[in-house]
Amino acid sequence: MMNPKNNKTGCLIVVSGPSGTGKSTIVNSVLDTCKELSFSVSATTRPQREGETEGVDYYFVTKEQFQQMIDNNELLEHAEYVGNFYGTPRKAVLDKIDNGLNILLDIEVQGAEQIKRQYPEAVTMFVVPPSWEELERRLINRGTDSMEKIQARLKQAKSEIEKIENYDYIIVNDVLETAISEVISIIATQDYKYDKRINDLTEAYSL
Amino acid sequence: MMNPKNNKTGCLIVVSGPSGTGKSTIVNSVLDTCKELSFSVSATTRPQREGETEGVDYYFVTKEQFQQMIDNNELLEHAEYVGNFYGTPRKAVLDKIDNGLNILLDIEVQGAEQIKRQYPEAVTMFVVPPSWEELERRLINRGTDSMEKIQARLKQAKSEIEKIENYDYIIVNDVLETAISEVISIIATQDYKYDKRINDLTEAYSL
């Protein structure tokens, strides 16, 4: 059988949802399990948090550097979120997809919308806690932000949840392990789709 | 939370493919694992094989009874296959879907096409062995049919495989356990889709 990577494009998988839903925890665990999955590291102007690594969690850049990336059309999507900027480097993502790799993006809701407009074939998941009360509780208990920032996040979360209908899948993050395994299943099944598998069969069946 | 079964419709899942691909073995194993999944028992005019149970594997009917079912519009799809007729009772399937149950159909390629035309939202999978040579081998080694029947099945298989592009997913039945787990994942992820989950969240988020 020929190398299928030469014949098919990879899948762009987007995990999004309001802040405080646990989407980054889910994404990190999925990446630990699915070694063949590529992760796109975002650029951001927000301050580095404790435990975060440059080039692994984010590329931490200044506002000036970020503006330069926008001006040079180096970002596939970018968005402002509670005063900070976030963006996905374009070339890294497109090169991997062209080489048949599946890529996972962990991005804010605004950015996910831009991706879906540009790539309707992107598979998008929206992560939410089981209820609004639970989301409030998680944002308040996070403890890394001032009350003012929490209020801003709550307000933003409310408007973001109204965008849920634009997503292909909903992941209810109640039991973390369940949420993780659901995301893994959704990613796995993308490779079983007709478009992904037909190339491998063309030769075997003289189609 | 309200009973979600009242708010959403079930999913119609179709497993098809040429004879000799092992699709019934896969389907039976999937049904053993997924207890919440309903199976639609087909009607057929073909003779009962050893080990098959009336009303479990098939409803075994005469050609006259089958024709009556067609005339009464009691079949969702029906097809002739190597001299025998096969059909899916309409009411049983539609009632279950309306009650929010996911239903699995194990049907011939002709029937699967009729289903997809009537229900574009049906999720369809095409099961194939890893190569044409392997399919030939399996049909010849089955041992339940005459050489003439085997030739007819091979000819039919060839024309059926040309319909593969109409399917949502391809299951390559090389290692049986892998094929089974892929089908289970595909079925599971249907319930994570936006349409299936949004009803449960509408109240929790006052959407």
Side-chain angles (χ1 to χ4, degrees):
Chain A
M1 195 177 293
M2 318 257 293
N3 177 6
K5 301 249 161 102
N6 291 331
N7 299 315
K8 66 185 176 194
T9 53
C11 187
L12 182 55
I13 299 146
V14 173
V15 175
S16 191
S19 183
T21 57
K23 64 181 192 295
S24 296
T25 308
I26 293 171
V27 163
N28 289 335
S29 178
V30 168
L31 289 167
D32 278 347
T33 308
C34 308
K35 296 296 181 195
E36 74 289 357
L37 196 60
S38 288
F39 180 64
S40 166
V41 179
S42 297
T44 185
T45 62
R46 86 145 161 75
Q48 194 165 353
R49 289 188 196 143
E50 215 183 300
E52 288 181 335
T53 310
E54 160 72 17
V56 174
D57 297 288
Y58 286 98
Y59 296 109
F60 296 97
V61 299
T62 63
K63 286 202 177 174
E64 292 67 33
Q65 288 170 320
F66 197 92
Q67 186 58 51
Q68 185 107 48
M69 294 171 88
I70 296 174
D71 294 345
N72 294 343
N73 199 26
E74 291 171 24
L75 297 176
L76 195 56
E77 56 80 27
H78 65 276
E80 188 187 348
Y81 178 75
V82 196
N84 296 309
F85 292 87
Y86 296 81
T88 301
R90 179 189 302 274
K91 190 173 169 354
V93 169
L94 298 189
D95 284 355
K96 284 177 180 167
I97 290 175
D98 284 347
N99 283 313
L101 295 171
N102 292 337
I103 308 236
L104 188 57
L105 298 188
D106 168 7
I107 52 178
E108 308 300 327
V109 173
Q110 277 179 277
E113 281 176 44
Q114 294 174 44
I115 297 278
K116 193 70 179 178
R117 266 198 302 274
Q118 290 186 64
Y119 292 90
E121 63 272 41
V123 174
T124 57
M125 308 180 210
F126 195 87
V127 181
V128 280
S131 68
W132 175 254
E133 289 70 28
E134 175 61 19
L135 176 56
E136 275 189 321
R137 204 183 57 72
R138 290 188 198 178
L139 279 176
I140 291 166
N141 290 350
R142 194 181 229 187
T144 58
D145 294 309
S146 65
M147 202 60 214
E148 196 188 336
K149 283 251 173 178
I150 290 171
Q151 288 301 338
R153 283 184 198 272
L154 282 171
K155 194 178 161 206
Q156 182 118 7
K158 210 162 191 99
S159 75
E160 286 174 347
I161 284 169
E162 283 160 14
K163 307 282 176 60
I164 196 169
E165 65 182 357
N166 301 326
Y167 287 75
D168 300 316
Y169 296 94
I170 297 175
I171 303 296
V172 180
N173 187 11
D174 188 2
V175 178
L176 179 64
E177 287 67 33
T178 305
I180 291 166
S181 88
E182 289 182 359
V183 173
I184 290 173
S185 289
I186 291 166
I187 294 169
T189 57
Q190 303 311 313
D191 286 335
Y192 314 154
K193 286 187 172 168
Y194 171 83
D195 287 343
K196 290 296 184 76
R197 286 215 155 137
I198 191 62
N199 284 319
D200 297 349
L201 287 176
T202 307
E203 208 179 339
Y205 279 91
S206 317
L207 287 173
Chain B
M1 198 178 290
M2 317 257 294
N3 177 7
K5 299 249 160 104
N6 292 331
N7 299 317
K8 65 186 176 192
T9 54
C11 186
L12 183 54
I13 299 145
V14 174
V15 175
S16 192
S19 184
T21 57
K23 63 181 190 295
S24 296
T25 307
I26 293 171
V27 162
N28 288 335
S29 178
V30 169
L31 288 167
D32 278 348
T33 307
C34 308
K35 295 298 183 195
E36 74 291 356
L37 196 60
S38 288
F39 180 64
S40 167
V41 179
S42 296
T44 185
T45 62
R46 86 146 161 74
Q48 195 164 354
R49 288 189 197 141
E50 217 183 299
E52 288 182 335
T53 309
E54 160 73 17
V56 175
D57 297 288
Y58 286 100
Y59 296 110
F60 296 98
V61 298
T62 63
K63 286 200 177 175
E64 292 69 33
Q65 288 170 318
F66 197 92
Q67 187 58 52
Q68 185 108 49
M69 292 171 90
I70 296 173
D71 295 344
N72 294 344
N73 199 25
E74 292 170 22
L75 297 176
L76 195 55
E77 57 79 28
H78 65 275
E80 189 186 346
Y81 179 74
V82 196
N84 297 308
F85 294 87
Y86 296 81
T88 301
R90 179 189 302 274
K91 190 175 171 349
V93 170
L94 299 189
D95 284 355
K96 284 176 180 167
I97 290 174
D98 285 347
N99 283 311
L101 295 172
N102 292 337
I103 308 236
L104 189 58
L105 298 187
D106 168 8
I107 52 177
E108 307 300 326
V109 174
Q110 277 179 277
E113 283 176 43
Q114 295 174 44
I115 296 278
K116 194 69 178 178
R117 268 199 301 276
Q118 291 185 63
Y119 293 89
E121 62 271 41
V123 174
T124 58
M125 308 179 210
F126 196 87
V127 181
V128 281
S131 69
W132 175 252
E133 290 68 30
E134 175 63 18
L135 176 57
E136 275 189 321
R137 205 183 58 71
R138 290 188 198 177
L139 279 175
I140 291 166
N141 290 350
R142 195 181 228 186
T144 57
D145 293 309
S146 66
M147 202 59 212
E148 195 187 336
K149 284 252 173 176
I150 290 170
Q151 289 300 338
R153 281 183 198 272
L154 283 170
K155 194 179 160 205
Q156 181 118 9
K158 213 166 186 95
S159 75
E160 286 175 347
I161 284 169
E162 284 160 12
K163 308 282 175 59
I164 196 169
E165 65 182 355
N166 301 325
Y167 288 75
D168 300 316
Y169 295 94
I170 297 176
I171 303 296
V172 180
N173 187 10
D174 189 0
V175 178
L176 179 63
E177 287 66 34
T178 305
I180 291 165
S181 87
E182 289 182 0
V183 172
I184 289 173
S185 289
I186 292 167
I187 294 169
T189 56
Q190 303 312 313
D191 287 334
Y192 314 154
K193 287 186 172 168
Y194 172 82
D195 286 343
K196 289 299 183 74
R197 286 215 154 137
I198 191 60
N199 283 319
D200 297 349
L201 287 177
T202 306
E203 209 179 340
Y205 279 90
S206 317
L207 289 171

